[in-house]
Amino acid sequence: VVLVERAGTVIGAIGLADRPRPEAREAMGRLGELGITRTVMLTGDTPQTAAAIAGDLGIAEVAADLLPGDKADAVRRLGDGVAMVGDGVNDTPALAASDLGIAMGTAGSPAAIEVADVALMGDDPRKIAELIGLARWTRTVVRQNIAFSLGTKAIAAVFLLFGALPLWAAVGVDVGASLLVVANGLRLVSGRPVGQRELPILERSAVAGPTVFV
């Protein structure tokens, strides 16, 4: 609260409050859809301010009045599989201490972007869920490609050993498998919209531990 005074007399009061971004609640909901049910807020704000914002966003765990080093220590105490999201210089130690540091590219400081593993090209928190969904989808496509490639080569090798497959046919199988692997990988670029609602919700081990927000 800011008091307005004139000639030694208080004539009014102005109330100031930190408000979460309008899209922040939706971002938290999308993370929940991805199976990330534990989030922790680490902030240098007062406990009262932090509790109010966390309540608006549905974040149950809050640590307030933290210095940059305190944030890094809190991230380490959370264990393995921790993703840290931050944008300021004060977040740099915590970003470095996390398993996955995510910097908000537009609003992020150069130091935070330099330390982070991923820099989002924008300041929309909903992109965090898009990032995780895309990472999981990419991993699935890579596994599909490896399994298909090794499987076709193994089958072709067996047929070759028993003389049931000519050499030219084996070469054709190998080239065909490579082309199919490339085509499957291209789905990540142009075959499907990269929006959170369109991305598959797969196993949660891509970010298995808590997600930390600052």
Side-chain angles (χ1 to χ4, degrees):
V1 178
V2 178
L3 299 179
V4 181
E5 177 184 302
R6 183 171 62 187
T9 302
V10 176
I11 61 174
I14 301 175
L16 303 176
D18 290 322
R19 297 293 183 189
R21 298 172 60 91
E23 61 271 19
R25 179 177 291 276
E26 182 181 354
M28 297 301 299
R30 292 188 179 187
L31 289 174
E33 292 175 2
L34 287 170
I36 300 173
T37 56
R38 183 187 179 191
T39 56
V40 183
M41 175 183 288
L42 306 178
T43 178
D45 290 333
T46 63
Q48 295 81 2
T49 300
I53 295 176
D56 287 342
L57 298 179
I59 299 176
E61 299 182 55
V62 182
D65 278 336
L66 299 181
L67 298 174
D70 299 330
K71 293 181 181 180
D73 292 338
V75 168
R76 295 188 187 97
R77 287 194 297 269
L78 289 172
D80 297 328
V82 176
M84 164 73 186
V85 182
D87 60 4
V89 175
N90 292 340
D91 303 328
T92 302
L95 287 169
S98 65
D99 296 289
L100 175 63
I102 304 173
M104 306 303 289
T106 301
S109 68
I113 294 174
E114 179 69 23
V115 170
D117 300 294
V118 178
L120 298 179
M121 301 306 293
D123 56 359
D124 187 344
R126 292 173 295 187
K127 291 186 178 294
I128 300 168
E130 292 185 17
L131 167 67
I132 296 173
L134 179 59
R136 293 177 177 180
W137 185 27
T138 301
R139 182 178 56 188
T140 298
V141 170
V142 169
R143 288 176 174 175
Q144 290 172 349
N145 286 345
I146 292 174
F148 177 75
S149 180
L150 293 179
T152 53
K153 290 179 185 297
I155 294 173
V158 171
F159 278 96
L160 276 173
L161 287 176
F162 289 96
L165 186 67
L167 182 59
W168 64 267
V171 173
V173 169
D174 183 66
V175 173
S178 298
L179 292 176
L180 288 175
V181 164
V182 171
N184 190 42
L186 288 176
R187 292 192 302 134
L188 295 170
V189 178
S190 59
R192 189 170 183 172
V194 185
Q196 178 54 36
R197 298 303 180 186
E198 292 77 25
L199 287 171
I201 299 176
L202 305 174
E203 55 185 309
R204 63 177 294 184
S205 57
V207 178
T211 300
V212 180
F213 291 93
V214 177

